[in-house]
Amino acid sequence: MDFIKVTEQKEPFVALVELNRPKELNALNRQLMLELLETMQTLDKNDNVRAIVLTGNDQAFAAGADIKQMADQSAIDMLMVDQFSTWDQIRKTKKPIIAAVSGFALGGGCELTMMCDIIIASETAKFGQPEIKIGTIPGAGGTQRLTKAVGKSKAMELILTGRFLSAEDALFYGLVSKVVPVEMYLHEALQLGKEIAQQSPVAVQLAKEAVNRSFETQLDEGLAFERKNFYLTFASADQKEGMKAFIEKRKPTYSGK
Ligand code: CAA
């Protein structure tokens, strides 16, 4: 892997995935995205991993899709390359992904954070969809996910002007779940990953699926989906163990079965 670094942290099973193309502010070229997909698919199959933290570096999470790679492409080139099919497959990762964001999260970088399940930001984080400034529009879900995250008016402002959203504002609008000093964002995300990794992996996967369903369906369908996944947890040993441990006033031990 040229552009992705993976570190597995044992006990309790959190994998740290770092985007590693610092000179280009982690611009997301096709090779990087293919490597990210391969990484996510491998981690999804690894029983020792229960939560994934995705990060860049202090200066940049990622400054967008690689403009140099796209600049001369025709519409038909873009259609045939179909780079976003890689993104669609990354979105299918079943394990929870926490984005630990510092510095620039722009264009495809912002879209990648929004494909994650939780975003932790450093005080220096800057989110934005500045594609309008280079004569195009978001292509990896920005018009849809940003609108759902911050509401129509703010999303329109950001997407139509290319302005950046500060970490503080991102928290205010609900795009991120927490903002911490730059020295702390990675630690905070790893701690969150550890806390999630202590839960039943079966229940975590079903809960992630159900929350994501809320973006894709009307309320009735979403509620029915949630209910089925809720019932399904009762087929797991983890549910039996979790409830028994509560009644016996002890900590549960989850097997992931
Ligand atoms: N693609 C390719 N290269 C990029 C890049 C990108 N998205 N963003 C930064 N870089 C490169 C720069 O070209 C520069 O390389 P060189 O040293 O070889 O010139 C290097 O990274 C450092 O960047 P800057 O010198 O520009 O750094 P800065 O601190 O002055 O500015 C910035 C930082 C404001 C983030 C600026 O780099 C910038 O505006 N980047 C582009 C942001 C953008 O428009 N992103 C959207 C891309 S399109 C997209 O993502 C479509 C989609 O929906 C998937």
Side-chain angles (χ1 to χ4, degrees):
M1 297 256 173
D2 293 337
F3 301 131
I4 300 284
K5 192 175 153 211
V6 183
T7 323
E8 271 181 50
Q9 317 220 329
K10 300 259 155 55
E11 285 305 321
F13 312 124
V14 179
L16 175 63
V17 177
E18 291 168 76
L19 306 175
N20 188 23
R21 218 189 151 207
K23 277 201 203 118
E24 291 81 9
L25 303 179
N26 289 334
L28 305 166
N29 66 11
R30 288 179 202 127
Q31 184 186 334
L32 185 153
M33 293 309 290
L34 284 168
E35 289 182 10
L36 184 60
L37 172 60
E38 193 186 326
T39 302
M40 291 302 179
Q41 288 179 333
T42 305
L43 294 175
D44 233 6
K45 285 187 215 125
N46 181 343
D47 286 344
N48 288 332
V49 173
R50 292 185 174 185
I52 299 165
V53 172
L54 177 62
T55 196
N57 55 54
D58 292 356
Q59 283 67 47
F61 177 82
D66 191 324
I67 299 170
K68 290 167 193 162
Q69 199 170 46
M70 293 184 295
D72 294 330
Q73 304 269 287
S74 71
I76 299 303
D77 292 336
M78 292 299 279
L79 179 77
M80 297 316 279
V81 168
D82 189 20
Q83 67 195 56
F84 296 127
S85 65
T86 312
W87 297 61
D88 289 342
Q89 291 176 70
I90 291 172
R91 186 164 64 95
K92 296 196 174 123
T93 307
K94 294 192 176 88
K95 290 182 182 162
I97 308 175
I98 300 158
V101 181
S102 183
F104 299 112
L106 303 176
C110 185
E111 290 165 310
L112 184 57
T113 68
M114 292 189 290
M115 280 167 53
C116 296
D117 301 307
I118 302 173
I119 306 174
I120 300 292
S122 94
E123 284 168 350
T124 65
K126 292 176 194 67
F127 297 87
Q129 299 289 159
E131 288 89 345
I132 202 86
K133 291 185 170 172
I134 52 170
T136 184
I137 70 167
T143 60
Q144 307 303 298
R145 292 201 183 92
L146 190 64
T147 308
K148 290 205 159 80
V150 304
K152 175 179 160 181
S153 186
K154 197 68 193 172
M156 282 286 192
E157 178 199 324
L158 296 174
I159 290 169
L160 301 188
T161 64
R163 285 182 188 174
F164 297 164
L165 194 67
S166 67
E168 191 188 354
D169 285 347
L171 183 64
F172 176 79
Y173 285 99
L175 178 63
V176 308
S177 74
K178 194 164 184 181
V179 177
V180 294
V182 67
E183 316 78 60
M184 292 297 294
Y185 73 99
L186 195 51
H187 173 79
E188 185 71 31
L190 288 167
Q191 282 305 113
L192 184 59
K194 280 184 193 166
E195 200 173 323
I196 294 169
Q198 282 161 13
Q199 315 307 324
S200 158
V202 182
V204 166
Q205 181 183 321
L206 293 173
K208 169 173 169 164
E209 265 180 22
V211 173
N212 278 337
R213 196 47 82 100
S214 77
F215 287 96
E216 292 150 17
T217 51
Q218 301 298 323
L219 184 61
D220 273 353
E221 204 186 316
L223 289 174
F225 185 86
E226 178 193 78
R227 206 151 302 162
K228 279 199 195 116
N229 273 6
F230 173 70
Y231 296 150
L232 192 53
T233 63
F234 285 73
S236 73
D238 282 351
Q239 174 271 329
K240 298 285 171 287
E241 166 65 7
M243 293 195 179
K244 204 160 165 249
F246 173 81
I247 293 164
E248 291 170 1
K249 300 191 189 300
R250 60 173 174 82
K251 279 191 97 177
T253 307
Y254 291 123
S255 63
K257 301 277 184 255

